[in-house]
Amino acid sequence: MRIDLISLFPEFLAQIAGHGVVGRAAERGLLSLHGFNPRDFAEGNYRRVDDRPFGGGPGMVMMIDPLRAAIRAAREADPRPGRLIYLSPQGRRLDQAKIRELSAQPRLLLLCGRYEGVDERLVAAEVDEELSIGDYVLSGGELAAAVVVDAIGRLLEGALNDAGSAAQDSFEDGLLDWPHYTRPVEHVLGNVPDVLLSGNHAEIARWRRRQALARTLARRPDLIGTASLDDADRRWLQHLQDEAGQGPGDGSGKIR
Ligand code: 9WO
């Protein structure tokens, strides 16, 4: 997969491709990142990429032409078509299903804004999709693009590595992850739950599933409606809700 980054700070993005799981995906040739800096395509001695907003107000707006030239250069560098995604707080909210969809594309172009944003005419003419990583404002789209690249990169690497690992991920079935433990078994902070030491794999799988359901219900009840659940899952959730109706709980969202 090839990802082109349209950014005033493309070196920023190169960082994530040099480390960890995404670095390995890049080393193996599963993922290649290419930066295109609108500054390199700006005209004049000052190489201006931004100007004051019509209508007044604070901040600056990224000009159409340097961005358009950078996008054109990226498209000419590889003739395969690819969706151009603009990372902005106005976008549709990113989730793991969207990451999965994007990871199946041979090519993507990510547009990172700075300042107050990008001239809307450029967005209307060139952008295929606007995505947000969450309801907060950053100083630019680069960190959001890094999030997208990281999430895609680990899926590409995982698909090759261990077929089970990506499928077992938190969010693959729309639920939060179960809790994890490692050595030592006994510790002043508490002991590892017995079931995990039992060697009974069916029992362990059932315990983990129940933990994931309980956590999701306690912390992210909004996810329950869209999770893929079977009858046993629904019975367990009903049990948890019946139980919650009886006692007050401590409000911590922790699972007993
Ligand atoms: C800056 C600004 C300055 C003065 C008055 C209003 C202003 N709005 C903004 C602004 O929203 N800047 C954005 C910075 C423009 C697009 C790129 N930037 C950005 C992307 N910030 N946060 C994101 C982002 C992207 C994806 N998911 C979450 C946040």
Side-chain angles (χ1 to χ4, degrees):
M1 178 173 188
R2 172 182 170 127
I3 301 182
D4 294 278
L5 304 155
I6 318 297
S7 164
L8 287 171
F9 305 102
E11 337 71 68
F12 187 140
L13 275 298
Q15 289 285 330
I16 47 170
H19 304 276
V21 178
V22 180
R24 216 173 313 135
E27 272 167 26
R28 289 188 178 179
L30 298 169
L31 177 66
S32 66
L33 298 183
H34 303 265
F36 292 85
N37 191 337
R39 183 90 54 196
D40 297 337
F41 301 89
E43 309 267 307
N45 284 342
Y46 296 96
R47 302 207 159 265
R48 271 190 91 147
V49 294
D50 62 315
D51 209 336
R52 287 146 60 211
F54 280 118
M60 300 293 270
V61 175
M62 290 182 83
M63 299 164 72
I64 294 175
D65 282 332
L67 282 172
R68 209 153 80 104
I71 293 164
R72 175 171 301 169
R75 292 207 179 278
E76 281 173 359
D78 184 335
R80 292 177 299 168
R83 272 141 78 184
L84 177 64
I85 296 175
Y86 179 40
L87 285 316
S88 103
Q90 282 71 50
R92 224 194 63 128
R93 191 62 167 272
L94 187 69
D95 59 19
Q96 189 65 21
K98 174 60 73 176
I99 292 293
R100 221 169 237 292
E101 177 200 322
L102 296 179
S103 72
Q105 304 285 316
R107 177 153 199 235
L108 286 179
L109 295 89
L110 303 181
L111 173 59
C112 304
R114 280 270 154 179
Y115 316 114
E116 204 166 342
V118 168
D119 190 304
E120 192 62 27
R121 293 167 292 180
L122 186 280
V123 178
E126 302 272 7
V127 169
D128 298 302
E129 194 165 2
E130 208 165 329
L131 290 180
S132 165
I133 63 163
D135 296 335
Y136 34 78
V137 182
L138 306 167
S139 58
E142 285 78 6
L143 264 177
V147 166
V148 172
V149 171
D150 187 279
I152 289 174
R154 68 177 289 284
L155 280 188
L156 297 178
E157 173 66 15
L160 199 83
N161 235 347
D162 170 5
S165 78
Q168 278 199 14
D169 270 359
S170 174
F171 286 125
E172 278 312 314
D173 47 16
L175 295 174
L176 301 185
D177 209 357
W178 54 72
H180 304 277
Y181 299 86
T182 188
R183 292 191 300 170
V185 169
E186 296 186 357
H187 192 279
V188 286
L189 296 186
N191 298 340
V192 175
D194 286 334
V195 58
L196 298 178
L197 310 173
S198 68
N200 184 336
H201 297 296
E203 195 62 31
I204 290 169
R206 191 169 73 124
W207 181 85
R208 285 178 166 167
R209 184 74 183 176
R210 288 179 164 193
Q211 288 287 318
L213 288 161
R215 275 187 166 185
T216 307
L217 183 65
R219 302 178 189 183
R220 292 294 306 278
D222 57 301
L223 296 178
I224 294 288
T226 51
S228 40
L229 304 175
D230 64 14
D231 289 344
D233 293 335
R234 275 184 255 276
R235 279 196 303 276
W236 176 246
L237 287 169
Q238 190 58 56
H239 163 79
L240 291 170
Q241 277 161 326
D242 294 346
E243 207 177 37
Q246 291 162 25
D250 67 359
S252 71
K254 283 239 167 82
I255 300 136
R256 283 169 289 135

